[in-house]
Amino acid sequence: MDTSFPRFLVNGDSAVSAVFGDRISEEINQKIRAFQLLLTARHIPGLIETVPTYCTLMIHYDPCLLSYEELLQKLRALASEIDLTALPPSEVLEIPVLYGGEMGPDLAHVAEHASLSEAEVIKLHSEPEYLIYMLGFTPGFTYLGGLNPKLETPRLETPRVLIPAGSVGIAGKQTGIYPIASPGGWQLIGRTPVRMYDPDREVPILPRAGQYIHFSPITEEEYRKIEAEIEAGTYRLNIRKREEAKA
């Protein structure tokens, strides 16, 4: 591990950021996940929550139970174990997507911009397993890595006032899913019936940082069937294990 990382930065009076680099990469993400795993396993009294981002791990703590100096000492000791920590296999969420048509009104534009057919766009978009680096913007919004460079497309010049929940879009080098209805400027290429955020669910936010998403093309008939199963509470998302490299 680079001996200059992680660096620890004070964030107010009850949080510390462990900084692991200044770029987006799976290698850095693995170190963040390994450090988060170590912190969770040690059950440090006073530690409240850890929140991963692209290059940092935000660590929230209760200063009444754990002083900054005590926390920093523990963090530095654990940092020496990061490269010795093996990550468990990540989960891959198989997200069904109906591409094009009413569900993906910008698919034709993305295809034209990339000089590809719509079928080729769908194929390239549904091939990778996209790493979820972090969540943010709205509840359950995933910041994914792994979009094929051929599919990079600028955002809309004029954002839409309302984008339906479940919409799958592309903006620059990113792709993602809108978990709730909201304004947005991404190029919409499809939609999933899966609810990435459901306030009535026991765990409202479906995805977690460190998981992967794989998009699976479906037909309109399949979309309506899954939609009905979700309404009835009988749908079970396919989640499989992925082989993981050592941190």
Side-chain angles (χ1 to χ4, degrees), residues 201-221:
R201 199 162 49 204
E202 183 177 358
V203 181
I205 295 176
L206 175 63
R208 300 193 308 272
Q211 292 178 320
Y212 286 75
I213 283 178
H214 178 251
F215 296 111
S216 302
I218 57 173
T219 63
E220 184 172 355
E221 182 181 358

Side-chain angles (χ1 to χ4, degrees), residues 32-154:
I32 291 172
R33 288 157 56 197
F35 197 42
Q36 185 176 35
L37 187 66
L38 286 168
L39 285 169
T40 301
R42 296 305 162 88
H43 302 288
I44 299 172
L47 195 151
I48 299 173
E49 182 184 19
T50 57
V51 181
T53 67
Y54 276 128
C55 302
T56 69
L57 183 68
M58 176 81 81
I59 301 154
H60 295 270
Y61 68 100
D62 184 343
C64 295
L65 300 177
L66 182 65
S67 72
Y68 168 74
E69 291 76 15
E70 290 172 328
L71 176 61
L72 195 60
Q73 183 179 16
K74 294 179 185 296
L75 295 179
R76 285 173 173 161
L78 284 178
S80 64
E81 301 180 33
I82 291 175
D83 287 342
L84 304 175
T85 303
L87 291 170
S90 293
E91 293 179 331
V92 180
L93 309 182
E94 291 284 355
I95 302 296
V97 177
L98 176 56
Y99 287 93
E102 178 186 351
M103 303 297 188
D106 301 319
L107 178 61
H109 173 71
V110 172
E112 181 181 4
H113 184 269
S115 298
L116 298 169
S117 68
E118 293 185 15
E120 288 172 323
V121 170
I122 294 170
K123 180 177 184 296
L124 291 177
H125 187 264
S126 60
E127 281 179 345
E129 293 175 346
Y130 297 92
L131 172 61
I132 303 174
Y133 279 94
M134 57 183 282
L135 303 178
F137 174 54
T138 57
F141 188 92
T142 53
Y143 286 84
L144 305 178
L147 180 68
N148 191 306
K150 293 179 180 179
L151 300 182
E152 294 177 12
T153 311

